[in-house]
Amino acid sequence: MLRSVFKILTPNIRALAINESRKLMHTSAKVLSNNRTLSTHNHTHALSEAAINKAAVSKNDIRNFMSVWPDIVRDLNDYAKKYDKIYGPKWLSKLLQYNVPNGKKYRGLILVEAFKILAKDGQMTDENLKLAQTLGWCIEMLQAVFIIDDDIIDGSTTRRGHKCWYQLEDVGLAAINDAMMIENGIYYLLKKYFRQAEYYQEVVDLFHEVSFITSLGQLQDIKTAHTLDLNFFTMEMYKSIVANKTAYYSFYLPVALAMHMTGYKDPEVFRQTKTILLEIGNFFQVQDDFIDCFGDPSITGKVGTDIQDGKCTWLSVVALQRANEDQRLLMKDCYGQKDPEKVERVKELYEDLLLPHTYEIYEEESYKIINTHIQQISRGLPHKLFFKILEKIYRRNS
């Protein structure tokens, strides 16, 4: 079992996994002995409850971050009024309030936390903290752009416990234009607040670069789902989709922005930072794939549709790695189909192949290995930054 888990780890941590194998075998035995069913629902925590609470974002941090949001909406409304006083401001307010501030705000809060950790003498001012929070909201706006588009492409119905934006009666496919408005609003905010900063061009370039990378990841995601050729459902393809579609904008973007704000220039520091954050991003997406299939919609706020949509997920790839000929035929017949009975047959196959159990082991071992990888970073950012990011997503259920 442990050897099969190593095969699904990312290349950067697989070498570490081999070195750590004796420790991990001991860990696996403990995990297996717990005989848990779904790790997102029924954990025996490896960390103490105090450690988990300490790792979580404080209510004060969230409150301070949210306090900047009305200013963001006001700025964009004022900008819209210059060109359209009738429809623009009212619609833009509704659009922003519905789609931006109601998520978990992981990405924006990671940026603020990174800025606080990386800030040098004289940089931790109220003005700079507000700038970091503003940049954080720009990332949350970018997240909203991706979500609006993704929901349309996937034909999703719910998001964050509410109807998807395009599903609203007075929105429909006009949501495509709405996503464009939010994205362009990001660059207005960057110009308004950062054009005098020496790192302004780096910040703008990074938003453009990561947006392009994410759109390529979306393309990979769409094409693998639409062709439904299971021969393309490989771990190599999966990792490429995850890195491009999720990891860059969710983890590298917020930290890299904080690095620019605090004066980091060394390309090697950025390279090492990217390497570990893409590993964390892969870990995050595997969690998402598992939650989509086995999570509780009352907790996640959405009904998972990866099976119906034919997505190349961690579950589907590992299932195909393990499937015998009959099971592979079942996947070919049922995967990517809307029929509820076929969806249920795929879930039953996942259970038969012990994927929930494998996920538990993967989650525990990946967490430990990424911790080891962080400790081995030789130069650059403080290790505690990466530990904080990892703790924020460890054992999440939504």
Side-chain angles (χ1 to χ4, degrees), residues 153-170:
I153 292 167
D154 291 346
S156 300
T157 57
T158 58
R159 172 74 68 169
R160 297 169 176 171
H162 300 283
K163 281 186 177 181
C164 295
W165 175 248
Y166 84 98
Q167 289 274 359
L168 298 185
E169 191 172 329
D170 58 342

Side-chain angles (χ1 to χ4, degrees), residues 129-164:
L129 181 58
K130 185 172 181 180
L131 287 175
Q133 292 165 334
T134 300
L135 264 186
W137 279 114
C138 287
I139 297 179
E140 292 299 316
M141 289 169 63
L142 187 63
Q143 159 81 342
V145 173
F146 296 147
I147 283 176
I148 291 171
D149 288 343
D150 195 61
D151 286 342
I152 294 171
I153 292 167
D154 291 346
S156 300
T157 57
T158 58
R159 172 74 68 169
R160 297 169 176 171
H162 300 283
K163 281 186 177 181
C164 295

Side-chain angles (χ1 to χ4, degrees), residues 71 105 121 125 178 182 251 271 288 300 312 392-393:
D71 296 335
K105 296 175 275 290
D121 291 343
T125 64
D178 293 339
I182 296 176
F251 294 95
R271 189 196 68 79
D288 251 18
T300 65
C312 178
K392 284 182 189 344
I393 64 172

